Amino acid sequence: MVWASRLAFCSRNACFGVTVMVKSINKMIANKKVLLIAAIVLLGLTGGVAYAQTAPQPTPAGSTFEQRLAQRKSERTITLDDKDIRRIESRCKGSQSTLITIQQELAKTIEERKTQHLKIDGKLWIAIGQLKIANQDTFELEGLKASYNKQVATFDDLTKEYTQAIDDTIVVNCVTDPQGFKAVVETARIYLQEVRKQSGVIRAHLLDSVKPALSKSGEKL
Amino acid sequence: MQPSDYNQQPQPSPQQSTVQDRPQVVPPMQATQPPMMQENTPNKGLNKKVVYIALAVVGLLLLIAVLTIVLLSGDEPEPTVQQPAAVPSGTVPASGSSIEQINNAISQDVSAIDDADDFPEDQLSDDVLDL
């Protein structure tokens, strides 16, 4: 628009030059847009590739460390340059010491969380029992309790895999196999996020579904 | 035949004891011994069996007596001592307040769960692991 208003005041020859200039500028802007779009698409694709890696699958029961390591390597497809390899080789022993501390704390945390889940389950069981004795309909609450139990079972499975992955990060010979070390660390990171997510699902279920249903049952009495 | 002939018949005369006759004399001796053995063993076996059965019956009676004593002595204190403590709150019919209490207790349990503390997001970050 600015360019068009300026063109109205110019002579014929000069206007020709200006129009050419405007066209080239427009082309440049268009090219920039194309470049920008291409860059965004490229970034999206690379991000997509990063997330398109196969999600870690549960390890088969009774699998050996070598089997699990091979599985994690194939799932994560880690490629390291020389600089990364040197860095991991020089620092991974220290990382494994930290991971041992995490492993010990994790065992306690998971045990406490299990106790907490069992407590909640027991309270739900008591509430349903009391409501049944009072001849109240417990169908909804029983369904919610069943969902809760399923969610807790999923959480337990995920914590099991997370713990296993942490164990593997400690066992792997990180100096001779930096790719393997990186693969199991990445797997453990994914499981950590999954555990957090599942914990959030349980919390949301209790707060948004179970508690309101309990309140509703209490109000009917 | 006279009755005295019966006694004389099994005893062969020395003149009649030829080589062919000897086996006829020996088998009756052998045939008489095994029946005597067979007569003795069933009696002994029977006696043993009777003793065993008697012992088993006595043992069984003793066992039943002991069990009865244990069960009777175990049952007595239960109704008096354990009944008040054994009644769980779950057997009480629901009331508005009891359900509210349970609801509040669940709230406390939920609030006690702290993911940020239990499973920190950066628990395995490069910074924490110094990688």
Side-chain angles (χ1 to χ4, degrees), chain A residues 85-126:
Chain A
I85 290 170
R86 278 198 299 277
R87 196 182 67 248
I88 290 174
E89 282 173 352
S90 62
R91 294 183 177 186
C92 70
K93 287 289 173 193
S95 306
Q96 284 183 322
S97 299
T98 310
L99 283 161
I100 289 170
T101 311
I102 290 170
Q103 181 195 41
Q104 288 163 352
E105 285 172 4
L106 190 66
K108 283 183 207 163
T109 304
I110 290 171
E111 204 55 43
E112 284 169 9
R113 188 60 71 93
K114 272 185 183 173
T115 309
Q116 208 72 4
H117 285 156
L118 280 174
K119 271 186 189 175
I120 294 169
D121 182 59
K123 280 163 191 163
L124 281 174
W125 185 83
I126 288 171

Side-chain angles (χ1 to χ4, degrees), chain B residues 19-88:
Chain B
V19 177
Q20 287 176 348
D21 290 337
R22 275 177 194 167
Q24 288 175 356
V25 177
V26 176
M29 290 284 284
Q30 286 175 346
T32 50
Q33 280 176 354
M36 285 181 74
M37 289 292 286
Q38 281 172 0
E39 279 172 13
N40 287 338
T41 47
N43 283 336
K44 279 184 182 175
L46 194 68
N47 287 338
K48 275 185 182 177
K49 274 184 185 173
V50 168
V51 170
Y52 286 149
I53 289 167
L55 281 172
V57 168
V58 170
L60 192 67
L61 286 171
L62 277 171
L63 190 68
I64 289 167
V66 169
L67 282 173
T68 313
I69 290 164
V70 168
L71 287 173
L72 285 174
S73 62
D75 284 343
E76 278 172 10
E78 270 182 12
T80 52
V81 179
Q82 288 189 352
Q83 204 173 11
V87 176

Side-chain angles (χ1 to χ4, degrees), chain A residues 47 69 72 100 115 171 183 192 198 201:
Chain A
L69 185 64
R72 298 315 184 197
I100 289 170
T115 309
V171 175
L192 171 62
Q198 188 61 22
V201 167

Side-chain angles (χ1 to χ4, degrees), chain A residues 198-219:
Chain A
Q198 188 61 22
S199 182
V201 167
I202 293 170
R203 175 188 283 268
H205 179 67
L206 287 170
L207 294 177
D208 302 340
S209 304
V210 174
K211 276 178 61 60
L214 264 178
S215 298
K216 205 168 75 182
S217 299
E219 283 165 12

Side-chain angles (χ1 to χ4, degrees), chain A residues 141-214:
Chain A
L141 263 179
E142 283 182 69
L144 291 169
K145 185 179 172 295
S147 304
Y148 169 75
N149 290 338
K150 268 188 189 174
Q151 289 168 356
V152 169
T154 307
F155 179 84
D156 291 343
D157 289 344
L158 287 169
T159 51
K160 206 172 121 188
E161 292 297 334
Y162 179 44
T163 310
Q164 184 66 74
I166 293 281
D167 292 350
D168 290 343
T169 59
I170 295 160
V171 175
V172 68
N173 190 337
C174 59
V175 178
T176 57
D177 188 4
Q179 276 90 358
F181 175 72
K182 187 77 178 167
V184 284
V185 167
E186 286 295 324
T187 304
R189 283 173 177 164
I190 292 169
Y191 274 121
L192 171 62
Q193 297 309 317
E194 292 289 316
V195 165
R196 283 173 57 85
K197 195 173 143 191
Q198 188 61 22
S199 182
V201 167
I202 293 170
R203 175 188 283 268
H205 179 67
L206 287 170
L207 294 177
D208 302 340
S209 304
V210 174
K211 276 178 61 60
L214 264 178

Side-chain angles (χ1 to χ4, degrees), chain A residues 19-106:
Chain A
T19 48
V20 169
M21 205 172 80
V22 168
K23 276 180 184 174
S24 64
I25 287 168
N26 281 340
K27 270 186 182 175
M28 279 174 69
I29 290 167
N31 285 339
K32 273 186 181 175
K33 274 183 184 173
V34 168
L35 281 173
L36 193 67
I37 289 164
I40 289 166
V41 168
L42 196 67
L43 277 172
L45 278 175
T46 50
V49 168
Y51 285 107
Q53 281 190 331
T54 52
Q57 297 299 309
T59 49
S63 58
T64 61
F65 165 72
E66 283 77 19
Q67 287 170 338
R68 290 194 299 273
L69 185 64
Q71 182 184 331
R72 298 315 184 197
K73 274 176 156 181
S74 68
E75 285 169 351
R76 300 274 67 82
T77 58
I78 301 290
T79 48
L80 298 171
D81 55 24
D82 290 343
K83 190 181 150 194
D84 290 334
I85 290 170
R86 278 198 299 277
R87 196 182 67 248
I88 290 174
E89 282 173 352
S90 62
R91 294 183 177 186
C92 70
K93 287 289 173 193
S95 306
Q96 284 183 322
S97 299
T98 310
L99 283 161
I100 289 170
T101 311
I102 290 170
Q103 181 195 41
Q104 288 163 352
E105 285 172 4
L106 190 66

